[in-house]
Amino acid sequence: LGMLGEQPPAQAVARLKKYVEQYQAVMKDQTVIGAFEIITTVASAGAGKDGDYSYETPIEELEPWVKAAEDAGFYVVLDLQPGRTDFLTQAKLYEPLLKRPTVGLALDPEWRLKPNEKHLVSVGQVGVDEVNKVGAWLADLVKANKLPPKVLTLHQFQVRMITDRQRLDTSRYEVQYLVHVDGQGGQAAKQGTWGVLKKNLPPRVYMGWKNFEHEDKPMLTPAQTIAQVHPTPFFISYQ
């Protein structure tokens, strides 16, 4: 979906390499790595056969994208929009992919519905206990399979989207947490959202920034992103 899905995997690799080159040019003392963030379970208007308002993409459809990223030296983020089911139930569906060393996970609370809710009527939310369960399961998976630590990304553009975030359990070094700030629109508003969400972060939680190709007014260039967003994001995505 989005910019990633506008071309086949090989062309997406080429497109992303251009961004990597631009960021590397302004971050000479850092190593910049490309990443595909794949919306793996997709919020849907209809309930579907399982009634969860989420389409679970088959692993075989994801394989070409994961393979292309691996061959290019990129990371992969599997993004979950769970609807009326829970994040851990969906994460377990993709255990075979998560056993690969360069595949991480993202939770998108905007699309986490309560039993009677529907998408786009209200912004979803998740309690931190559910997030902690996913983190513990992912940490156990990493440890059991002797994998490098995995990134667990938490999408957020409102404080209420993750309740009791201060109780996020970051004690397991098998998992590295990143709060990805999804605000869009004018840069003043985006900076305001960034400023709110970076407050009171639990220990060992990193920050990520999103540039929206059509919604941002204007969208920052790579050089502007590094110059204007503080602290420097550890993950910068495009949609």
Side-chain angles (χ1 to χ4, degrees), residues 99-101 139-150 174:
K99 286 182 177 179
R100 297 163 86 147
D140 288 344
L141 186 73
V142 168
K143 186 174 182 179
N145 292 277
K146 297 181 173 57
L147 298 168
K150 289 192 177 295
E174 295 91 348

Side-chain angles (χ1 to χ4, degrees), residues 124-159:
Q125 67 176 181
V126 65
V128 76
D129 291 334
E130 183 172 325
V131 176
N132 285 337
K133 287 179 181 178
V134 177
W137 174 82
L138 192 61
D140 288 344
L141 186 73
V142 168
K143 186 174 182 179
N145 292 277
K146 297 181 173 57
L147 298 168
K150 289 192 177 295
V151 178
L152 179 52
T153 298
L154 308 177
H155 288 285
Q156 193 173 15
F157 57 84
Q158 295 177 354
V159 172

Side-chain angles (χ1 to χ4, degrees), residues 2-227:
M3 294 173 70
L4 181 61
E6 291 175 354
Q7 60 281 301
Q11 284 72 31
V13 166
R15 184 177 185 180
L16 178 53
K17 283 183 175 179
K18 293 179 181 178
Y19 275 113
V20 172
E21 291 169 359
Q22 292 178 69
Y23 279 101
Q24 193 65 76
V26 294
M27 302 179 73
K28 293 183 172 61
D29 59 340
Q30 303 288 329
T31 299
V32 180
I33 299 171
F36 284 169
E37 181 166 4
I38 304 170
I39 301 180
T40 303
T41 63
V42 186
S44 60
K49 292 181 179 179
D50 55 10
D52 65 5
Y53 287 84
S54 178
Y55 170 74
E56 295 84 8
T57 305
I59 287 178
E60 56 267 25
E61 291 185 21
L62 302 172
E63 283 277 2
W65 292 91
V66 175
K67 180 67 165 54
E70 288 175 336
D71 291 346
F74 295 165
Y75 202 71
V76 173
V77 180
L78 302 180
D79 190 285
L80 305 182
Q81 300 180 347
R84 291 185 182 178
T85 190
D86 63 276
F87 282 113
L88 182 56
T89 295
Q90 286 202 333
K92 289 179 177 179
L93 297 176
Y94 299 96
E95 181 174 334
L97 292 178
L98 290 166
K99 286 182 177 179
R100 297 163 86 147
T102 56
V103 178
L105 192 63
L107 312 183
D108 201 341
E110 178 182 2
W111 310 106
R112 173 67 169 92
L113 300 176
K114 294 178 181 177
N116 296 315
E117 290 181 340
K118 291 186 178 180
H119 297 299
L120 301 179
V121 177
S122 59
V123 175
Q125 67 176 181
V126 65
V128 76
D129 291 334
E130 183 172 325
V131 176
N132 285 337
K133 287 179 181 178
V134 177
W137 174 82
L138 192 61
D140 288 344
L141 186 73
V142 168
K143 186 174 182 179
N145 292 277
K146 297 181 173 57
L147 298 168
K150 289 192 177 295
V151 178
L152 179 52
T153 298
L154 308 177
H155 288 285
Q156 193 173 15
F157 57 84
Q158 295 177 354
V159 172
R160 63 168 293 281
M161 288 171 62
I162 305 174
T163 60
D164 299 319
R165 193 185 68 172
Q166 70 277 7
R167 292 196 295 105
L168 184 67
D169 182 1
T170 62
S171 64
R172 298 285 299 272
Y173 279 81
E174 295 91 348
V175 173
Q176 298 174 345
Y177 284 92
L178 182 138
V179 169
H180 193 227
V181 180
D182 287 357
Q184 58 179 262
Q187 290 303 320
K190 286 174 67 78
Q191 287 285 355
T193 302
W194 175 263
V196 169
L197 292 178
K198 72 180 182 181
K199 291 180 180 177
N200 303 314
L201 280 177
R204 297 180 57 243
V205 176
Y206 302 93
M207 294 287 287
W209 173 271
K210 181 178 285 190
N211 286 321
F212 286 85
E213 185 178 26
H214 301 296
E215 289 81 6
D216 284 355
K217 304 183 186 310
M219 185 179 84
L220 300 179
T221 67
Q224 289 171 333
T225 302
I226 298 305

